[in-house]
Amino acid sequence: MADENVTDTENTTVTTEQAAAPVHEEQASATPSQPTPASMPKPHAPSPAAFAKKPAQHVAAPAPATGSYTDADVKAAEAFGRVDDNGTVFVKDGDTEREVGQFPDTSKEEALGLYARRYLDLKGKLNLLAGRLKSSNVKAHEIDESLKTLAEETAEPAVVGDIAALKAQFESLKAAGEAKKAELSEARKAAVAKAVAERTEIVVKAEELAASLGDNTNWRSTADKFRSLFDQWQQHQRTTVRIDKAEADALWKRFSAARTTFNQSRRKWAQARDNERNTAKAAKEAIIAEAEELKDSTAWGETSRKFNDLMDRWKKAGRAGRNEDDELWAKFREAADTFFNARQADRDQTNSSERENLAAKEALLAKAEALVPVADEAAAKKAREALASIQEEWDQIGYVPREDMRRIEGRLDAVDKQIKAVEDAAWKKSDPEADARKSSFEEQLNAQLEELSAKIEAETDPKKKAKLEAEKATKEQWLNAIK
């Protein structure tokens, strides 16, 4: 499955050494010792200019400019060569001597120095590759191309210098190059594994989001999270190493499946939401129709309960969409306000009469409170008769404001309780059974006091005697209380 036109891009770094062209041997010709064009070597030997014009893409790095080595370096290289009287230049190559060029029209020193510098330039290329192998951004194909070029240049180089050391250095570079390529291969494997793990983490997050979808999902927030994960996916493709296509496609398939699950679920939710809103709208329109029928009713209590029921149904009906909800609510509120405003006007009128009733009852209350306290049974009887008359008139007055009802009823009850207390006390005094119980208890106390007096008389222990005296005093108080 295509990554929605998203393509992986492997980062490549073009180094200065790769981009730079090799230093041409013409640079060396700028020195005073360079032979004139008339004294160029014979066709069988490569000229410095021809050597310099080798394809740049096969050179590991630019050769060092003439002058980066010392005269002592040149002299040390010259020790491996000679020039005969005809201007032919030879170099010691192992146990043999090999002709490398001919400059018949120059001095032997100039010819030998030229080929010694060519040796040092070639050695500089090897040194540059050795340094390049230590770089962290060298590429395997760069190593292969550089080694191929240097293999050709060091096979039978037209230079004067320590050829054996040059070839030994090249062989060492080959081994180092292979080791570097192995290191790069392992690093790439690690980078690919890391990239796969990072991209898998993005996929797992998307799958977790898809798995968590439900009735309580915040769809807008979740959509933002999926968008962020997709941006991360694209950024990862652009900035990390290319991974195996099959593995990349498999991961994309999983990521795309999670997004598809989300998109389908969101569409279902949106459809269900629209259905719910349509249902809610129909329910609220029905409620509004009922409210319109009730708004002119004067059955205040019953209609108030019906409006409360309509409000409960309204809350349970659900949302019909913000704009439509506002319009529907305005219609319902208008009908409800019509009724409740009328009820309030009636209540205001009722409150006025209730305040008049309150004033009348407070006047009766003053008369009732003047009846107490009562001193005896006869006074209580007269107070009871007067209170009964007051209560009869009280009941005929009617309602008072709700907030005052408990206060005034409580004060009237307090008067009734005071009168009743005197009545109860008089009744208890005339109750035969109560007198019998009192007489029996009095006899028991008198007997106990006589017994305690005898014990106190006979007791010699001060502590025990004091305890008995305390008990006697308590019982004497009980006796006095019931007399």
Side-chain angles (χ1 to χ4, degrees):
M1 177 178 181
D3 291 20
E4 299 189 0
N5 298 326
V6 181
T7 57
D8 288 321
T9 304
E10 179 180 356
N11 291 339
T12 57
T13 305
V14 179
T15 65
T16 304
E17 292 82 358
Q18 289 172 288
V23 178
H24 293 171
E25 289 294 342
E26 285 86 345
Q27 292 175 342
S29 67
T31 63
S33 60
Q34 178 66 29
T36 62
S39 60
M40 295 303 292
K42 294 180 179 180
H44 69 273
S47 70
F51 180 82
K53 291 180 180 179
K54 287 182 179 290
Q57 63 271 28
H58 297 306
V59 180
T66 303
S68 62
Y69 37 77
T70 65
D71 290 340
D73 295 330
V74 176
K75 291 298 182 183
E78 289 176 348
F80 289 86
R82 68 179 181 84
V83 182
D84 65 11
D85 294 337
N86 296 324
T88 302
V89 182
F90 297 89
V91 66
K92 295 178 182 178
D93 192 349
D95 296 332
T96 63
E97 188 176 61
R98 176 167 55 82
E99 179 182 341
V100 294
Q102 191 175 42
F103 280 86
D105 297 328
T106 62
S107 67
K108 293 181 179 182
E109 290 76 11
E110 289 176 335
L112 191 61
L114 173 63
Y115 282 90
R117 286 192 293 275
R118 289 180 61 186
Y119 166 82
L120 293 172
D121 288 342
L122 182 54
K123 183 175 178 61
K125 292 182 181 182
L126 295 175
N127 291 338
L128 279 176
L129 177 58
R132 185 75 182 118
L133 291 177
K134 297 177 182 178
S135 173
S136 60
N137 59 0
V138 66
K139 300 290 187 283
H141 70 85
E142 178 188 347
I143 296 173
D144 289 336
E145 291 174 0
S146 298
L147 287 173
K148 180 180 178 181
T149 300
L150 291 174
E152 295 171 357
E153 294 181 357
T154 58
E156 287 190 357
V159 298
V160 171
D162 190 347
I163 302 300
L166 194 69
K167 291 183 176 182
Q169 184 180 1
F170 174 70
E171 293 300 323
S172 176
L173 280 177
K174 282 176 62 178
E178 292 301 322
K180 186 66 175 181
K181 287 197 296 180
E183 178 186 334
L184 292 174
S185 177
E186 291 301 319
R188 176 171 175 75
K189 288 179 182 178
V192 169
K194 181 174 180 291
V196 169
E198 290 170 346
R199 203 169 298 181
T200 300
E201 184 178 356
I202 296 174
V203 172
V204 169
K205 289 180 180 179
E207 291 174 337
E208 288 175 348
L209 279 178
S212 67
L213 301 178
D215 295 337
N216 297 324
T217 297
N218 185 324
W219 296 99
R220 177 173 295 180
S221 173
T222 305
D224 291 341
K225 291 177 182 178
F226 266 106
R227 191 175 299 110
S228 175
L229 289 174
F230 182 65
D231 291 342
Q232 292 176 41
W233 180 283
Q234 290 182 306
Q235 178 69 10
H236 193 270
Q237 284 186 318
R238 289 193 296 267
T239 59
T240 58
V241 63
R242 184 187 297 274
I243 65 177
D244 179 71
K245 185 178 184 302
E247 195 159 20
D249 288 347
L251 287 171
W252 172 252
K253 185 176 180 180
R254 288 172 58 188
F255 182 80
S256 181
R259 287 210 308 168
T260 299
T261 298
F262 166 74
N263 290 332
Q264 291 176 346
S265 298
R266 183 169 59 172
R267 281 195 294 271
K268 290 180 181 178
W269 166 79
Q271 184 176 0
R273 179 195 59 187
D274 291 342
N275 293 337
E276 290 175 358
R277 287 180 173 179
N278 291 335
T279 301
K281 181 180 178 182
K284 289 182 175 180
E285 287 174 341
I287 293 171
I288 291 171
E290 293 183 42
E292 291 287 345
E293 294 178 359
L294 293 173
K295 67 179 183 180
D296 297 323
S297 172
T298 56
W300 309 121
E302 180 183 356
T303 307
S304 293
R305 287 191 295 273
K306 289 181 179 180
F307 264 104
N308 288 335
D309 291 340
L310 290 179
M311 179 60 71
D312 291 339
R313 286 167 53 191
W314 185 280
K315 292 177 181 178
K316 295 176 182 177
R319 301 281 296 174
R322 175 171 297 181
N323 293 334
E324 291 185 328
D325 261 336
D326 291 344
E327 294 176 3
L328 292 169
W329 174 252
K331 292 179 181 179
F332 177 72
R333 187 70 263 175
E334 182 181 2
D337 286 347
T338 299
F339 167 76
F340 285 107
N341 289 339
R343 190 190 70 169
Q344 185 60 41
D346 180 76
R347 180 172 290 177
D348 290 343
Q349 183 177 358
T350 300
N351 288 343
S352 177
S353 62
E354 287 179 350
R355 284 193 291 273
E356 292 176 1
N357 292 343
L358 176 62
K361 286 190 175 183
E362 285 181 334
L364 288 177
L365 189 58
K367 292 180 180 180
E369 290 176 338
L371 298 175
V372 292
V374 291
D376 51 30
E377 183 179 1
K381 185 175 181 179
K382 290 182 180 180
R384 172 62 64 190
E385 291 174 355
L387 181 61
S389 176
I390 290 173
Q391 287 175 329
E392 183 178 354
E393 189 177 352
W394 181 286
D395 293 337
Q396 292 175 355
I397 290 176
Y399 294 110
V400 299
R402 184 185 301 272
E403 61 272 16
D404 296 302
M405 184 182 299
R406 180 176 296 180
R407 175 178 62 82
I408 62 174
E409 292 286 349
R411 288 172 60 185
L412 187 63
D413 287 344
V415 173
D416 180 77
K417 288 178 181 179
Q418 291 185 54
I419 296 172
K420 191 173 185 304
V422 175
E423 291 173 339
D424 290 344
W427 181 82
K428 287 181 181 179
K429 288 181 179 180
S430 62
D431 185 3
E433 292 183 1
D435 289 341
R437 289 193 297 270
K438 176 181 177 183
S439 177
S440 175
F441 186 51
E442 185 176 359
E443 290 176 0
Q444 291 178 13
L445 286 176
N446 284 325
Q448 291 173 4
L449 286 172
E450 289 179 3
E451 183 179 353
L452 285 172
S453 296
K455 288 182 179 180
I456 292 170
E457 185 73 23
E459 185 60 60
T460 57
D461 187 337
K463 290 184 178 181
K464 291 181 179 181
K465 190 171 186 177
K467 185 175 181 182
L468 291 170
E469 288 175 345
E471 184 179 354
K472 180 181 178 182
T474 300
K475 292 185 182 295
E476 286 175 345
Q477 290 178 358
W478 291 355
L479 182 61
N480 292 332
I482 63 175
K483 287 184 177 181

